[in-house]
Amino acid sequence: MTLTPNTSPAPFIVIEGINGGGKSTLLSALSGWLTSQGLSFRCTREPGGTPLGQQLRSILLGSPTPLCRETEILLFLADRAEHVRSLIMPSLAQGTVVLCDRYTYSTVAFQGYGRGFDRERLAELNTLATGGLRPDLVILLDLPVEEALRRASARNQAPSSERDTFEEEDLAFHRRVREGFLDMAASLPEQFLILDAREKPETLLNQAQEAIARLLPHSRLD
Ligand code: TYD
């Protein structure tokens, strides 16, 4: 089953990548830029973009005992189904730009490439969860796994940092996840923008802004 494009007046933008790639930094810089342009936008994330999603997030990332693969997939999909229908679609329908930290591609990368679950079945399950809603742009922050894990572990030293059981997986798991993202980007070149996450934050912001500005032809953008 193929996904259908977003037909609403506002673009749907997704940021993806392995852990430690700097998604949060880019999202907060993009939020600052969109605010300065006076554009209506909503910044959200998966898992955890809705009240139900917050509960699912703490189960998914903080479970004291590992969840079985199928449970994990179904919980990510439940988070997504709720998120798409209660937040993403209504926002887009109102003309609000949506910036989303992770989407269907994370499920394919982590549960498909990482955990080895059948990727065709995941594609069908993703379509069920999203109702076919596909983003206009996927910004993939890519960098070598060793460097990403170094960054993630430095970030986790902060007392306020949230546990993420995926960060406890081995190097081979994260390498498969990275390869998964790169494979998807290669097969959907018109949808993906791959950024080298080792670049300076200002460079990454400029490159992302350029791609987003192309989706906003009627806006006045600096
Ligand atoms: P996130 O909060 O983006 O973590 P980080 O900021 O460290 O990149 O994502 C939470 C974790 O959930 C992340 O390790 C990836 C994982 N994940 C999946 O395994 N499958 C999914 O479908 C999604 C959305 C996230």
Side-chain angles (χ1 to χ4, degrees):
M1 229 184 289
T2 51
L3 297 189
T4 49
N6 162 27
T7 51
S8 76
F12 174 27
I13 298 144
V14 167
I15 318 259
E16 289 280 11
I18 54 175
N19 306 77
K23 288 184 290 98
S24 308
T25 308
L26 180 60
L27 274 163
S28 99
L30 283 172
S31 298
W33 170 62
L34 289 168
T35 304
S36 74
Q37 301 299 318
L39 282 166
S40 160
F41 71 97
R42 186 90 193 244
C43 208
T44 185
R45 68 174 176 180
E46 292 192 357
T50 63
L52 171 70
Q54 300 273 22
Q55 296 182 48
L56 294 174
R57 183 178 177 94
S58 59
I59 297 170
L60 280 161
L61 306 190
S63 174
T65 50
L67 302 171
C68 79
R69 212 169 52 160
E70 288 71 15
T71 304
E72 183 178 279
I73 290 166
L74 292 169
L75 294 181
F76 276 117
L77 292 167
D79 167 76
R80 180 161 306 130
E82 190 69 18
H83 191 213
V84 165
R85 286 162 189 80
S86 74
L87 190 147
I88 301 178
M89 280 177 171
S91 302
L92 293 171
Q94 284 172 1
T96 300
V97 177
V98 174
L99 282 182
C100 187
D101 184 343
R102 300 197 182 282
Y103 194 54
T104 50
Y105 314 92
S106 279
T107 310
V108 176
F110 284 85
Q111 280 65 52
Y113 285 80
R115 299 256 194 260
F117 193 84
D118 185 89
R119 299 204 290 269
E120 285 192 8
R121 282 178 83 189
L122 281 181
E124 284 169 15
L125 290 165
N126 264 331
T127 303
L128 171 73
T130 61
L133 180 69
R134 192 179 72 186
D136 299 283
L137 173 67
V138 184
I139 300 174
L140 174 62
L141 286 169
D142 179 60
L143 78 172
V145 166
E146 292 78 357
E147 183 163 350
L149 292 180
R150 257 197 310 277
R151 289 187 187 185
S153 122
R155 184 187 63 190
N156 292 345
Q157 305 304 314
S160 59
S161 86
E162 179 190 28
R163 180 166 178 233
D164 180 345
T165 44
F166 288 90
E167 287 174 13
E168 296 157 17
E169 293 290 338
D170 62 13
L171 208 58
F173 175 88
H174 291 283
R175 288 206 173 111
R176 290 195 298 279
V177 173
R178 181 187 186 201
E179 183 201 325
F181 280 124
L182 290 172
D183 277 358
M184 284 182 268
S187 64
L188 294 167
E190 70 297 338
Q191 204 181 340
F192 270 80
L193 170 70
I194 306 178
L195 298 183
D196 181 344
R198 292 167 299 180
E199 295 280 1
K200 291 196 194 92
E202 311 83 79
T203 311
L204 295 173
L205 174 62
N206 283 335
Q207 292 171 338
Q209 278 174 346
E210 239 175 67
I212 295 172
R214 275 187 243 119
L215 300 172
L216 302 165
H218 305 302
S219 308
R220 289 182 299 106
L221 293 170
D222 296 334

